[in-house]
Amino acid sequence: MLRCAQHDNSEMTIQTIQPAPHALHGSIRVPADKSISHRAAILASLADGKTRIENYLQSETTHATLDCLRALGTEIEMHDATTLSIRSRGLRGLSEPKDVLFCKGSGTTMRLLAGLCAGQDFLSILDGTHALKRRPMARVAEPLRAMGATILARDNGKLPPLAIRGGKLHGLDYALPVASAQVKSAILLAALFADSPTTLHEPSASRDHTERMLLACGVKLQVAGCKLQIEPATELRITHHASRIPNDFSSAAFFIVAALIVPQSEICIERVGVNETRTGLLDALLRMGAHIKIENVSEESGEPVGDIVIQSAELRGTQVHGDEIPRMIDEFPIFAIAATQAQGETIVRDAQELRVKESDRIATLANELRKMGAQIEERADGFVITGPTPLHGARVAAQSDHRLAMSLAVAGLVARGETIIEGWECVADSFPNFDKILEGIR
Ligand code: S3P
């Protein structure tokens, strides 16, 4: 890995990936779930008393959430890199931050905290990096305004920073225009502070970690398919006062695809969260002919976890659309790498949300993968990949997108020659030790 200074004085890291000299073998553990880590910290900051969280994700984004919660008056003590205790002053115990809440590049931090701050009778200003300033915020601001919060934002109320004056919220009956767990969670958090119940209708099911945690805290929440009804709360009670975060399926996804496409490989990824609202990638890969098994399924902090065993396989193209999209929304960059090695066409539709992720993932995937020889056609709401293509090493750019960076690294394992990835530092957003884990199975 090479570090070099950029014109704005920040450091850019360049990662070089050599083709895998032989099959991948071994058992690995990937880091903790990013989505669940954010939520565990936010809910612990509202729940009565002290909560211990084990296996908290150590990353730029999840630490941004901790910093913001501290600025809102929550006491957080780190015992080691991944274990912490959060002491809360209860549901109504947050206080006005003296400074801007800096969410770094984390969309989850900004959107979930927008919901939390909408419930508070004080001023909060949420800001982030240049990359975050491009992410759409009207999707949270509009329903929160409809509940009674005052929210000002750039570009006619649509882009960060957000200035929120909350409190005195009313319940809402709201149909989400997009299936987004971030938007759903923001409204659920605000709804805890409203004076009447809130009903939400999702167009299709998105990840349900917030619902699971709220139910575990004694919140009155009813879920019937894509309809949710939540009552305002007077307190949150965390029954165990300790929770262990499962390992992240979205981080496991890079190694699932790596083991599938590097011939003769067999790996096991231990104790991974396998919540069905997250594992659409497995369904798509199984249709493509993948050899994947989930073993030793048990429950950890209200979430199913299991060991995922993968053997390399000959893949064939498939189609992904409709309700499957939110169930694998973060996995399209790595799914695209699998598709380049599959026989025939892989078609992704209804995935226009990919355009507003950490990068415009339809455009960045197409641009970067073409540099490695992939046949990829960009569509307004997805892409078509024709395979199998022998990839070749190239100089590619991560485009400030951690999932794109790691997907290109996996592509590099099956490419001819060296792959050079510029902007590798963004991997710290979710998976700082990716390269060490990859080295361990090569
Ligand atoms: C997340 C939800 C998804 C996902 C993001 C994390 C969450 O975003 O892409 O990485 O933790 O709720 P959307 O809900 O906007 O689809």
Side-chain angles (χ1 to χ4, degrees):
M1 210 156 41
L2 190 76
R3 294 178 205 284
C4 32
Q6 300 186 97
H7 55 272
D8 62 355
N9 280 340
S10 62
E11 246 188 15
M12 177 170 84
T13 312
I14 294 177
Q15 179 67 274
T16 304
I17 300 286
Q18 303 295 346
H22 44 69
L24 308 178
H25 280 292
S27 286
I28 54 170
R29 284 192 184 210
V30 295
D33 191 284
K34 181 158 87 65
S35 292
I36 301 178
S37 293
H38 286 293
R39 288 159 170 80
I42 293 172
L43 290 189
S45 77
L46 301 177
D48 288 341
K50 189 171 169 180
T51 309
R52 183 178 165 94
I53 302 177
E54 289 165 13
N55 199 34
Y56 189 81
L57 175 64
Q58 196 191 2
S59 74
E60 287 292 315
T61 54
T62 44
H63 276 263
T65 291
L66 294 184
D67 289 342
C68 292
L69 292 173
R70 281 195 186 96
L72 286 160
T74 304
E75 263 178 61
I76 302 177
E77 188 187 345
M78 296 299 304
H79 301 297
D80 60 41
T82 59
T83 313
L84 52 106
S85 292
I86 297 190
R87 186 183 292 281
S88 143
R89 283 178 287 171
L91 186 62
R92 297 186 189 273
L94 298 178
S95 50
E96 186 169 73
K98 294 190 182 62
D99 214 334
V100 168
L101 299 173
F102 189 61
C103 306
K104 295 191 180 164
S106 174
T108 311
T109 306
M110 183 167 280
R111 296 199 179 112
L112 267 56
L113 291 187
L116 178 69
C117 292
Q120 316 304 318
D121 191 9
F122 53 66
L123 176 73
S124 311
I125 298 172
L126 296 160
D127 204 1
T129 57
H130 286 298
L132 187 59
K133 283 188 210 289
R134 289 196 300 262
R135 309 274 305 269
M137 291 297 149
R139 52 183 59 200
V140 280
E142 279 167 12
L144 296 173
R145 284 187 195 114
M147 293 175 84
T150 302
I151 304 188
L152 302 177
R154 206 162 47 85
D155 193 21
N156 277 326
K158 297 196 208 86
L159 294 175
L162 304 179
I164 303 178
R165 173 94 219 182
K168 301 186 189 62
L169 300 187
H170 313 296
L172 186 69
D173 191 324
Y174 187 67
L176 276 77
V178 285
S180 162
Q182 293 182 349
V183 176
K184 173 176 67 176
S185 302
I187 302 173
L188 289 174
L189 287 169
L192 296 173
F193 300 93
D195 60 8
S196 54
T198 292
T199 305
L200 294 180
H201 312 265
E202 277 199 284
S204 47
S206 63
R207 63 193 68 189
D208 66 355
H209 309 302
T210 309
E211 295 89 305
R212 286 171 186 254
M213 274 187 218
L214 287 172
L215 284 166
C217 291
V219 171
K220 291 201 179 102
L221 169 67
Q222 284 177 352
V223 183
C226 288
K227 182 175 174 194
L228 286 82
Q229 265 182 310
I230 180 168
E231 307 257 337
T234 47
E235 57 169 6
L236 295 195
R237 281 175 282 105
I238 292 192
T239 35
H240 312 306
H241 284 282
S243 57
R244 190 179 163 79
I245 313 285
N247 297 331
D248 199 328
F249 180 83
S250 296
S251 297
F254 303 107
F255 294 97
I256 294 175
V257 170
L260 282 175
I261 62 175
V262 176
Q264 317 291 328
S265 298
E266 176 162 356
I267 67 165
C268 174
I269 315 174
E270 295 169 353
R271 315 312 299 144
V272 184
V274 289
N275 179 323
E276 277 201 4
T277 60
R278 296 285 297 280
T279 53
L281 175 74
L282 293 185
D283 299 341
L285 291 173
L286 288 170
R287 284 202 300 279
M288 295 170 87
H291 299 154
I292 303 174
K293 281 185 293 189
I294 303 179
E295 297 176 347
N296 305 321
V297 177
S298 60
E299 213 182 83
E300 218 165 73
S301 306
E303 292 278 347
V305 294
D307 299 334
I308 305 180
V309 180
I310 310 105
Q311 286 175 330
S312 55
E314 300 280 319
L315 301 178
R316 52 186 179 273
T318 189
Q319 300 209 8
V320 183
H321 52 86
D323 291 351
E324 208 163 50
I325 301 293
R327 294 183 53 239
M328 57 183 285
I329 190 66
D330 287 340
E331 279 63 76
F332 284 99
I334 191 62
F335 177 67
I337 309 302
T340 66
Q341 302 308 301
Q343 181 73 45
E345 265 186 359
T346 296
I347 303 173
V348 174
R349 289 187 277 117
D350 305 328
Q352 51 279 6
E353 271 297 294
L354 294 177
R355 296 210 178 265
V356 291
K357 294 295 176 188
E358 283 82 335
S359 68
D360 172 344
R361 282 189 177 149
I362 297 176
T364 54
L365 257 176
N367 287 339
E368 302 308 316
L369 277 182
R370 271 188 207 124
K371 293 179 189 165
M372 299 182 76
Q375 283 188 50
I376 172 165
E377 183 196 323
E378 208 184 303
R379 300 247 169 108
D381 67 343
F383 51 83
V384 180
I385 292 179
T386 309
T389 342
L391 299 178
H392 54 77
R395 196 174 181 97
V396 289
Q399 309 284 358
S400 308
D401 185 339
H402 53 132
R403 300 200 197 280
L404 179 65
M406 292 181 275
S407 302
L408 293 168
V410 173
L413 295 177
V414 293
R416 196 169 17 85
E418 191 172 82
T419 300
I420 297 167
I421 305 169
E422 291 178 352
W424 184 254
E425 64 283 356
C426 60
V427 163
D429 282 351
S430 65
F431 202 159
N433 58 342
F434 174 86
D435 40 1
K436 288 199 185 61
I437 293 185
L438 180 58
E439 271 319 302
I441 52 169
R442 275 171 72 108

